[in-house]
Amino acid sequence: LAPSAVVRGPLRAAAAPPESNDVAVILLAGGVGSRMKADRPKQFLELEGKPVLMHSLELFLDLPGVAQVVLVLDESYRDEFREYDDGRLVFADPGAERQDSVRNGFDACRDDAGLICIHDAARPLVTPEAIYKVIDDARTHGAAVLGVPVKPTIKATDDGSFVAETLERQRLWEVQTPQVIQPDLLQEGFDKTDAENLQVTDDVSVVENLGKPVKLALGNYADLKLATSDDVI
């Protein structure tokens, strides 16, 4: 699936590049890609002649307002990415779970970062405009996440065999990345997560656990996360 071949739907509201050069990006590339059934993790599969990870890395390094990119990546894969270091690229170790990887990346972020922008390296099709929008929303509201309204009908089950209920589609969004959080809020969320031994599967959940609002920023349906071999055609 080549970026140039994808029709990217327009955002409902235009967004401008950030005026402040204070965004620290945590680029998550520590997954093993077990669902991909390939000979390498999904973020290293080739897309238009280069690894998927490089598309995301180049995108963020080229974006105005990005002061730092923290690449969460196993040490054994780092050498081929050191050439991208223009003084803003640092590395962090993956953790056992996603929240551990994000925490490691957060610990490596600059102390003066105004926003923490967390992105899955396996989502190479996100647009700059979508990134600007979610950054702007997080600066205003404290935390924001890209997402799109769910199109299919979703049913819940209690036992995996029978339908328990049909969920109200109008209330459901499929969340994507980036997910952007102000650093003090992210730290507070991690403190609560650690204290109560909570498990989260996405980043803004640590803010939800605080009872604080998370802004939904409209993304694009083309912002796919590569999860299986069917996603790379």
Side-chain angles (χ1 to χ4, degrees), residues 116-161:
I116 309 298
C117 175
I118 305 159
H119 186 64
D120 292 320
R123 289 187 183 270
L125 304 179
V126 65
T127 65
E129 292 79 15
I131 298 170
Y132 299 152
K133 173 62 176 169
V134 72
I135 285 174
D136 185 60
D137 282 347
R139 200 178 296 279
T140 300
H141 300 281
V145 55
L146 274 184
V148 290
V150 167
K151 291 182 178 181
T153 297
I154 305 295
K155 296 185 182 292
T157 177
D158 295 325
D159 59 7
S161 297

Side-chain angles (χ1 to χ4, degrees), residues 11-94:
L11 295 172
R12 290 178 183 169
E19 294 182 1
S20 301
N21 189 49
D22 66 346
V23 179
V25 175
I26 299 174
L27 191 57
L28 299 173
V32 297
S34 57
R35 285 179 291 175
M36 186 66 73
K37 296 181 180 179
D39 61 353
R40 72 200 85 169
K42 57 195 172 188
Q43 61 270 26
F44 298 107
L45 294 176
E46 284 203 356
L47 185 65
E48 285 200 326
K50 58 187 175 184
V52 166
L53 170 54
M54 285 186 179
H55 289 279
S56 295
L57 181 58
E58 291 173 357
L59 170 62
F60 282 100
L61 286 174
D62 287 342
L63 278 184
V66 173
Q68 181 187 39
V69 174
V70 179
L71 183 53
V72 180
L73 182 65
D74 188 85
E75 190 170 358
S76 62
Y77 294 111
R78 292 177 186 175
D79 284 346
E80 63 183 297
F81 297 97
R82 296 188 193 279
E83 65 183 88
Y84 287 90
D85 186 7
D86 59 1
R88 294 178 295 158
L89 180 64
V90 298
F91 294 93
D93 293 328

